[in-house]
Amino acid sequence: MSERSDAGAAMRIDLHAHSSCSDGTSTVGTLFDDASRAGLDVLALTDHDTVSGWAELPAAVAASGVAAVPGIEVSSESGTLSVHVLALLPDSSERSELAEEMARARASRADRARRMVELIARDHPITWEDVTGQVAGEQTVIGRPHIADALVARGAIADRSEAFREILSPSGPYYVPYYAPSPAATVAAIRAAGGVSVLAHPGSVTRDSDLPLDLLEEMVAAGLDGIEVDHREHDGAERERLRRFARTHDLLMTGGSDHHGTGKPNALGEELTAASVLAQISERATSGTEILRP
Ligand code: AMP
Ligand code: FE
Ligand code: FE
Ligand code: ZN
């Protein structure tokens, strides 16, 4: 093979994306068709706290020609910090501790969404039906983005971003937290489910200060496999800081778009993961869940 065709064969791998099974706006099928148009070879489906989209992956892979990494973006929390952990290639069994924790988080998210809507309805035009009208199906994990979309549909606010700034912010009067396990327990549960754990967008955990180092160290001690270094919410200095931490602790470094369909500007393939890193992820996973190839 010539050098040129080697270079041309560089794989385009995006390890972070959402469908309408959580707060993305595209079905799994459309997401993978879009991934093909974006020139991706591999895309991880990482909906918040659910594997309900996995059933659609075989058909989506066959139709799009894009390989799929079955995954989850698992919610965890530490004090007032919301920490997201990607679980790549975990077992999807409903009896694992991971599945039980996610079921608990989903139930708590549902209660919390209703409560937030009650509070917001005191000051803004919104009903619970407005929110369920923004949700794809029974199984959809409801989050603040759906409340944002309902407010936009009502004309109460211009767009999702403004809704997050003006109404849905954790420091605002309408925010209600939901149950989520600790970051270290989440890492351990992902490992017990045979999956590979990657700390998602650490730079956006707190918008104005760095993720506390001792929290990162706790996650590493619990068996954290990697860090999502390349993400649009990290500037160059943040990426360098995370790379140093990853090298020191022998962690994998991934990249992902965190695409949410039309709900956010994040474009499929805008951040990528090296093929050698995906190979290590695949080797480390012990669940039997495998990358689905076309
Ligand atoms: P929740 O998990 O319900 O608290 O909502 C958090 C989700 O909202 C994140 O996973 C993102 O998808 C989305 N999100 C957070 N901040 C913003 C923002 N400023 N603009 C748009 N979407 C956001
Ligand atoms: Fe999201
Ligand atoms: Fe996230
Ligand atoms: Zn995400």
Side-chain angles (χ1 to χ4, degrees), residues 152-164:
V152 174
R154 276 285 190 136
I157 203 102
D159 55 34
R160 259 194 194 188
S161 303
E162 191 178 322
F164 269 87

Side-chain angles (χ1 to χ4, degrees), residues 15-16 84 86 88 197-204 211 216 224-258 270-274 277 281:
L15 290 186
H16 190 160
H84 290 172
L86 300 174
L88 301 172
S197 60
V198 175
L199 174 59
H201 48 68
S204 47
L211 183 63
L216 265 173
L224 184 70
D225 292 289
I227 298 191
E228 187 179 48
V229 171
D230 291 315
H231 185 283
R232 70 153 54 212
E233 291 179 29
H234 301 158
D235 62 16
E238 178 69 12
R239 290 178 200 218
E240 196 39 50
R241 184 180 84 92
L242 293 171
R243 274 192 208 102
R244 267 203 308 276
F245 185 88
R247 279 192 214 103
T248 314
H249 294 79
D250 206 16
L251 298 171
L252 302 172
M253 294 181 239
T254 73
S257 64
D258 206 356
E270 68 176 27
E271 301 285 356
L272 298 169
T273 299
V277 171
I281 289 170

